[in-house]
Amino acid sequence: MYNIKKITENLLWVGANDRRLAMFEGVYSVPDGVSYNAYLLLDEKTVLFDTVDKAVQERLLENLEEGLNGRTLDYLIMQHIEPDHSAAVINVLRQYPDVTLVLNEKSSAFVSQFFNIDESVKRLIVKEGDILTTGKHHLHFVNAPMVHWPEVMVTYDATSKILFSADGFGSFGALNGAIFADEVDFARDYLDEARRYYTNIVGKYGAQVQSLLKKASGLDIAMICPLHGFVWRKNLNEIINPYLKWSSYEPEENGVMIAYASVYGNTENAAEILASRLWEKGIKTVMFDVSVTPASDIISAAFKWSHLVFASPTYNAGIFVTMEALINDLVSHNIQNRTIAFIENGSWVATSGKQMREKFEKCKNINFIGEVSIKSSVKADKLEEINALAHEIEESWQKHA
Ligand code: FEO
C-alpha cells in the first residue's frame, strides 16, 4: 500500500525506506536503515525528482501511481545516477513510457552505462543555468560535481524556494514517520548519523561541497529536499553550519579521539592509560578499538575531534591490519587540520609508529606531536612517556580552547 508524505500543497514525498540493508554501498553499516527520497511535483506538468534503490522500488511505483491520481508522469529529473537513486528508472519507464528524462550530458551517458534504456525514450539534456518551466514552477539546474559523483546536479525551484539537493544534506537512517527535521530532536538523535553519512560519502570532496554551498548561499532557500533523510523547512542553519565545518575539515570539538588496535591487550592498555591521564586533565576523550568498531564510525569521529591518537602493534613488519585499513581510509577521505600522536608497540622491531606517520604525511596541515614506543607491554619507564604525551596533548589542546 502506498505511503505518501505531503511536503507542500503540490509536492509529495513518494520515496521509500530500507531497514533490511546490511551494508550501504556494500561497506557502510546502516543500523537504523536508510531512506531513499523521491519527490513528485504536481504542476501543469508532473515531475518526479529521482527514483529509489531497486530493493524498495515497488513502494516508489505504488506511491507514484497514487500521487499522480490518474495523471501521467511528464518528467523524471535525474539529479544523480548512482543506482540508489536511479535503479527504478526502468520500471518507471515501463509504467510511464511517455515520460521525458531530464538530465545533464554526463548523467545521460551514465544512465546508459548502467541500464538498457530504449532509444525511443525521450531525453531532455539540460546544463547549468537552464530552466524547466512546468506551469507555475520554474526549475533551475545547478551542477554539483563530486557531491557525490561527477554528474550530480541539484535543482532550485524558484517558485517554492525549494532546493532539491541530491545527496547533499542527506543522512543515514530511515524515516520513522516524521519527514521534517523540525519534527524530531535532530541535534540529539540524528546529527551523529548525518555526520557519518557526510564524512564517509562526500568527506573526500570538501572543496566541491564548499563550492555548492557558495552557489546555494546566493539562492533564497526556504526548504531543502535531499535524497536521504529529513526535509529541512526550518532552522536550515542546523544542517548548513555543520556542512560548512565538515567541508572545511575544521574540527567540531576540542578533544581527543584515540583509535587503537591490540592483539593481546597491551597496546590497548597503553591507550587506556593515556585516556585516563587526559580525562584527569579535563580533556574529553573518546576511544575505539579499530578491530571492533566499523571504520565509518571512526572516520566520522576523526572529522569531529581536534586531536587524534593512533595506537598500533607492529604486525608483519607493518601496521596492524585493521589499523592500516582505517588509516588508508582516513587519508583517502582527505582528513586534514588535525593534531596527531602515535603509540606503537613491537616485541622485537617496532616500526608501526613511523609507518602510520608516513601515511598521514600525505594529508594537509597535520601537526604531529609525540610518539610513544612500547616493547610488548607497558612498564614503569613507559608510564613516564605516556604521561609526557598526555602533557603534550594538553598543551596543544589548551591552544585550541
Ligand atoms: Fe545516495 Fe551518491 O547516492
Side-chain angles (χ1 to χ4, degrees):
M1 189 42 122
Y2 65 89
N3 175 27
I4 287 176
K5 299 171 197 288
K6 195 170 171 182
I7 306 294
T8 68
E9 274 314 305
N10 62 356
L11 184 69
L12 305 173
W13 178 91
V14 291
N17 292 295
D18 189 346
R19 295 181 188 80
R20 288 189 167 185
L21 182 67
M23 297 299 245
F24 182 77
E25 294 185 2
V27 65
Y28 305 116
S29 54
V30 275
D32 301 325
V34 63
S35 78
Y36 304 105
N37 299 338
Y39 303 93
L40 177 63
L41 176 65
L42 299 167
D43 199 5
E44 287 167 30
K45 298 287 186 186
T46 59
V47 184
L48 176 64
F49 291 86
D50 301 287
T51 75
V52 298
D53 188 80
K54 67 178 179 221
V56 292
Q57 60 182 325
E58 284 303 317
R59 186 67 66 238
L60 168 79
L61 296 170
E62 285 174 351
N63 286 347
L64 193 51
E65 187 177 6
E66 179 65 25
L68 285 166
N69 192 20
R71 297 179 67 182
T72 191
L73 182 63
D74 296 305
Y75 295 111
L76 166 54
I77 297 179
M78 303 191 79
Q79 304 185 107
H80 183 17
I81 308 301
E82 189 164 14
D84 57 328
H85 307 296
S86 65
V89 65
I90 295 298
N91 280 319
V92 169
L93 285 167
R94 281 196 189 115
Q95 203 158 299
Y96 306 99
D98 289 331
V99 70
T100 298
L101 304 183
V102 181
L103 20 63
N104 62 31
E105 260 184 36
K106 268 202 182 81
S107 299
S108 186
F110 281 14
V111 83
S112 298
Q113 286 171 207
F114 275 105
F115 309 105
N116 294 320
I117 295 182
D118 196 89
E119 295 227 331
S120 64
V121 171
K122 289 176 277 183
R123 298 187 192 208
L124 174 62
I125 305 296
V126 294
K127 57 183 185 320
E128 169 112 355
D130 283 356
I131 300 169
L132 175 67
T133 296
T134 58
K136 290 193 178 68
H137 292 258
H138 306 287
L139 308 177
H140 297 239
F141 300 109
V142 178
N143 289 335
M146 300 321 294
V147 187
H148 140 231
W149 278 14
E151 88 294 0
V152 172
M153 66 178 190
V154 300
T155 309
Y156 177 63
D157 178 347
T159 309
S160 302
K161 300 185 169 45
I162 295 176
L163 179 68
F164 295 90
S165 59
D167 274 343
F169 306 111
S171 180
F172 288 139
L175 297 168
N176 301 321
I179 179 70
F180 296 106
D182 57 89
E183 296 178 277
V184 299
D185 189 333
F186 185 83
R188 187 191 65 195
D189 298 331
Y190 293 94
L191 181 63
D192 283 347
E193 280 296 81
R195 182 190 305 104
R196 191 167 69 90
Y197 170 85
Y198 171 85
T199 53
N200 285 280
I201 303 296
V202 279
K204 181 180 178 65
Y205 304 111
Q208 291 87 342
V209 173
Q210 292 259 312
S211 152
L212 175 61
L213 289 167
K214 199 168 165 206
K215 286 180 185 178
S217 70
L219 300 170
D220 181 8
I221 299 171
M223 192 182 288
I224 298 173
C225 292
L227 290 178
H228 301 283
F230 293 109
V231 169
W232 290 84
R233 64 178 173 182
K234 290 182 187 167
N235 309 324
L236 303 194
N237 281 338
E238 202 181 336
I239 191 70
I240 292 173
N241 287 342
Y243 260 69
L244 285 166
K245 191 148 264 189
W246 297 332
S247 59
S248 59
Y249 301 95
E250 290 302 326
E252 281 170 84
E253 297 257 7
N254 189 19
V256 182
M257 183 200 88
I258 302 176
Y260 68 88
S262 194
V263 182
Y264 294 108
N266 292 307
T267 312
E268 178 184 55
N269 188 34
E272 290 199 332
I273 293 167
L274 176 65
S276 297
R277 297 296 86 77
L278 292 170
W279 270 103
E280 286 160 11
K281 295 173 185 297
I283 303 172
K284 269 195 208 167
T285 305
V286 295
M287 296 187 76
F288 301 100
D289 182 331
V290 302
S291 300
V292 175
T293 304
S296 65
D297 288 278
I298 308 175
I299 285 175
S300 182
F303 271 69
K304 179 176 178 178
W305 296 97
S306 57
H307 292 66
L308 312 178
V309 178
F310 298 91
S312 174
T314 302
Y315 195 77
N316 288 332
I319 304 166
F320 188 73
V321 275
T322 49
M323 179 61 83
E324 183 164 31
L326 172 78
I327 294 176
N328 285 344
D329 215 359
L330 208 38
V331 171
S332 300
H333 281 80
N334 261 340
I335 190 74
Q336 47 195 276
N337 300 333
R338 293 296 184 278
T339 299
I340 296 184
F342 301 102
I343 298 174
E344 68 175 2
N345 196 350
S347 294
W348 49 102
V349 182
T351 61
S352 55
K354 177 174 174 282
Q355 294 188 54
M356 289 192 286
R357 184 187 168 119
E358 280 169 4
K359 286 188 182 288
F360 282 109
E361 279 168 355
K362 294 184 203 120
C363 300
K364 284 187 203 152
N365 201 17
I366 300 292
N367 176 30
F368 293 104
I369 57 169
E371 186 177 320
V372 173
S373 188
I374 306 293
K375 225 170 174 58
S376 302
S377 68
V378 179
K379 296 287 191 288
D381 58 330
K382 293 300 166 183
L383 276 180
E384 288 309 308
E385 287 185 30
I386 294 171
N387 288 344
L389 178 58
H391 181 68
E392 248 190 293
I393 293 172
E394 182 188 25
E395 283 185 333
S396 166
W397 173 81
Q398 281 167 341
K399 280 185 214 150
H400 285 73

